[in-house]
Amino acid sequence: MSEHTKRLTQLAVLTALSLIIFAVEMQIPNPFPIPGIKLGLANIITVYAVYHYKAHEVAAVVAARLILGSVFSGNMSALIYSASGAFLCLAGMLLLKRVIDEDHLWIASVFGAVLHNTGQMAAALLILRTPSLLIYYPFLLVSGCLAGAFTGACAQLVTHRLKGWKR
């Protein structure tokens, strides 16, 4: 198997894993009355990928997850919010990767979650033109920090467990 085929297969598996995690998380009722608050467990895969794959490869995994996740959930209108948050998060984590090493990737995940919420809020403000939405922002930031720490810790564990495996 060529190196290119092997890499493409790995990216396809990461995309499938993130979609499975996304689908499972969709089945969990949201205990919070605030729209947009969720764990974002599929981001475990994104955080892991940021530290182990090239930027364009991670962007492809994220884009595929966003598009297919929107199709599977039947909520194509949420794609713009998800994409704005996901790609701001990804850009930030790719930059943070330069200063935060793999042993502390959970910290990049927290910052990524804050950027994700910021991107979603910016999209909502631009589309809905309702400044009163900003009242949700502090709640989104707190929940984003907690969710980012959790997903980052999970990605840290995955990274630690896979360290000895050949890629």
Side-chain angles (χ1 to χ4, degrees):
M1 180 183 320
S2 75
E3 191 60 35
H4 178 72
T5 304
K6 183 177 177 183
R7 193 85 166 173
L8 190 59
T9 303
Q10 290 171 347
L11 294 169
V13 168
L14 289 177
T15 303
L17 283 171
S18 67
L19 281 167
I20 290 165
I21 294 169
F22 173 80
V24 168
E25 187 176 9
M26 279 188 350
Q27 302 307 311
I28 301 169
N30 187 356
F32 304 104
I34 299 170
I37 291 182
K38 66 180 199 164
L39 278 175
L41 296 175
N43 290 322
I44 294 168
I45 304 301
T46 304
V47 175
Y48 170 80
V50 162
Y51 278 83
H52 295 93
Y53 292 88
K54 296 175 184 171
H56 71 276
E57 294 171 328
V58 183
V61 169
V62 169
R65 184 192 79 215
L66 290 172
I67 293 166
L68 292 172
S70 293
V71 170
F72 294 163
S73 68
N75 193 1
M76 291 301 290
S77 62
L79 182 59
I80 189 72
Y81 301 107
S82 298
S84 60
F87 284 106
L88 184 59
C89 167
L90 178 58
M93 285 199 312
L94 288 168
L95 290 172
L96 287 169
K97 174 178 125 173
R98 297 176 182 195
V99 294
I100 298 174
D101 66 1
E102 186 177 7
D103 292 331
H104 299 92
L105 64 82
W106 67 271
I107 297 170
S109 179
V110 172
F111 283 107
V114 168
L115 290 170
H116 192 281
N117 290 135
T118 302
Q120 285 182 312
M121 181 58 69
L125 289 171
L126 285 172
I127 292 168
L128 301 174
R129 301 194 188 282
T130 309
S132 61
L133 286 174
L134 284 171
I135 198 154
Y136 289 119
Y137 192 55
F139 298 103
L140 289 174
L141 290 179
V142 171
S143 69
C145 287
L146 295 172
F150 179 75
T151 58
C154 291
Q156 190 80 58
L157 181 64
V158 166
T159 298
H160 178 72
R161 297 281 181 172
L162 294 179
K163 257 192 179 147
W165 288 19
K166 278 189 170 182
R167 286 200 312 229

